[in-house]
Amino acid sequence: MTAYLIKNVSVVGAAPTDLLIRDGVVAQAGAGLSAPDAVVVEADGLVALPGLVDLHTHLREPGREDAETVESGSRAAALGGYTAVCAMANTSPVADTAGVVEQVWRLGREAGLVDVQPIGAVTVGLAGERLAELGAMADSAARVRIFSDDGHCVADPMLMRRALEYVKAFDGIIAQHAEEPRLTEGAQMHEGEVSTRLGLTGWPAVAEEAIIARDVLLAEHVGSRLHICHVSTAGSVEVLRHAKARGVRVTAEVCPHHLLLTDEVIGGSGAGAVAGSGEPGSPAGRSYDPVFKVNPPLRTATDVAALRAALVEGVIDIVATDHAPHAVEDKECEWAYARPGMLGLETALSIALEVLGPEWDLIAERLSRAPARIAGLSGHGVDPAPGVPANLTLVDPAVRRTIEPADLASRSRNTPYAHMTLPGRVVATFLRGEATVLDGKAVK
């Protein structure tokens, strides 16, 4: 196994030091290290972070390999600084049995670019009618611990209660896509001033907030673990703050696009499209561009500000990408027929830097340590130090790069950040000491 000597790197923003990676671990750390047999990585000005961990990735395989495969999604993840991703269950067939989650897990191992941890479906076929084989998936080779019908809400409160009760036995987690379906029928974007102006059916904030309020009460009653996917409204933040103050075992994620973009981008004017930016038209967009269609939808600047504050405060625990690749025909069509979702793996760290600034400890916590703890991923989310598994990424914070869809490793091109200039570039990523990215390029 190749040894690597990383010279003059700042570990999570600390004073520059050297790191020697050997036999899958950080063997030594300190100034002036030498190792004649090691490949030297000059890291002046670079920051070493624990490998990023994504709790919410859509890899599309099996079933939609035209949009993404486990291998192509894993490559995109490594280029984004990730060493582990959790793959959502809405594949075809749905990951609702031990056989399907083991297939995804094995495909991840074969790719060898990141650790792929499957998420199992809560209900059979994501239909919301009866529980899937939760126990069998938990006992499978994939050792599933998180279950989600993401893309669909577990709307039946009795079914949600039973799911929470079931996974409590093995300290599992139900990850909820919070959307009351009767309030979002036919919805196309956030319900508000912009939707009225554009004549599109609105997706009200209360549809998210009502489900979160219900489910934190159910989790409190059962004493089980609940995770809220892609929180998008200021009201949801307040519900979560109240629940955490009461000791409910709830965690929550926010997506990069909900931290940066607002519903104004859909109108095509550009003014106010990037929260906190005075640059009109920062995302190069046109009116009704389906690349900005996502579920939950882009919200208002007020919501974005609340989400940013909650992320810093810790009311929202992590940043998760909701990386959702789509084939061309599913995005380059009329708005009403377009599939919701955006790419995220290769740009999430840059968005975090744009929103949070170079707060390296906070970035490490929200994009690596906390998601690894929630998912129970041993060896991930640990700052580089002697004896620690060498799962880490090197970032150049001085670079500002322009996002070009054709340059992305994903099989799909539906990034909402096309032609935007964002801070930070991943220079290298290591998975258990093996380089998956060097000089900003995938090794395999």
Side-chain angles (χ1 to χ4, degrees), residues 64-293:
R64 286 304 305 264
E65 289 84 355
D66 56 331
E68 196 78 284
T69 65
V70 171
E71 181 179 354
S72 66
S74 295
R75 186 172 294 109
L79 285 163
Y82 288 88
T83 55
V85 299
C86 296
M88 279 294 177
N90 58 341
T91 50
S92 181
V94 171
D96 57 4
T97 66
V100 178
V101 296
E102 286 183 348
Q103 177 189 0
V104 173
W105 177 72
R106 289 195 174 98
L107 286 168
R109 286 172 64 88
E110 290 168 7
L113 293 160
V114 296
D115 284 344
V116 176
Q117 177 59 48
I119 290 176
V122 177
T123 67
V124 175
L126 308 178
E129 295 174 356
R130 56 193 176 94
L131 291 182
E133 299 175 4
L134 308 184
M137 289 187 279
D139 291 339
S140 72
R143 306 298 294 170
V144 177
R145 288 298 179 270
I146 304 176
F147 301 87
S148 180
D149 276 4
D150 184 59
H152 303 271
C153 179
V154 181
D156 184 333
M158 181 58 76
L159 198 61
M160 185 65 178
R161 174 183 175 174
R162 295 295 178 234
L164 288 165
E165 289 173 334
Y166 197 107
V167 301
K168 184 181 178 182
F170 50 84
D171 200 32
I173 301 171
I174 301 297
Q176 177 69 293
H177 172 113
E179 175 186 355
E180 171 48 68
R182 288 166 295 185
L183 292 175
T184 61
E185 189 172 348
Q188 296 293 319
M189 65 172 295
H190 172 69
E191 181 181 280
E193 180 184 338
V194 180
S195 66
T196 301
R197 187 170 74 239
L198 298 180
L200 293 175
T201 304
W203 199 120
V206 71
E208 175 176 299
E209 296 154 10
I211 292 295
I212 297 175
R214 182 201 74 178
D215 287 353
V216 295
L217 290 171
L218 287 173
E220 182 177 41
H221 177 72
V222 172
S224 193
R225 297 175 69 189
L226 170 70
H227 180 76
I228 305 299
C229 298
H230 40 51
V231 173
S232 69
T233 79
S236 295
V237 169
E238 293 310 310
V239 175
L240 288 165
R241 179 179 284 109
H242 180 65
K244 290 192 169 194
R246 287 169 46 176
V248 179
R249 301 177 73 194
V250 60
T251 53
E253 71 189 37
V254 64
C255 300
H257 46 271
H258 288 129
L259 290 171
L260 189 69
L261 303 176
T262 76
D263 59 347
E264 291 284 353
V265 73
I266 299 165
S269 67
V274 175
S277 171
E279 305 174 28
S282 295
R286 54 187 170 80
S287 185
Y288 299 98
D289 190 338
V291 77
F292 300 114
K293 187 176 183 179

Side-chain angles (χ1 to χ4, degrees), residues 1 108 322:
M1 192 174 189
D322 195 7

Side-chain angles (χ1 to χ4, degrees), residues 312-330:
V312 172
E313 182 184 347
V315 173
I316 293 176
D317 301 83
I318 66 171
V319 174
T321 70
D322 195 7
H323 176 81
H326 288 297
V328 171
E329 63 270 20
D330 291 327

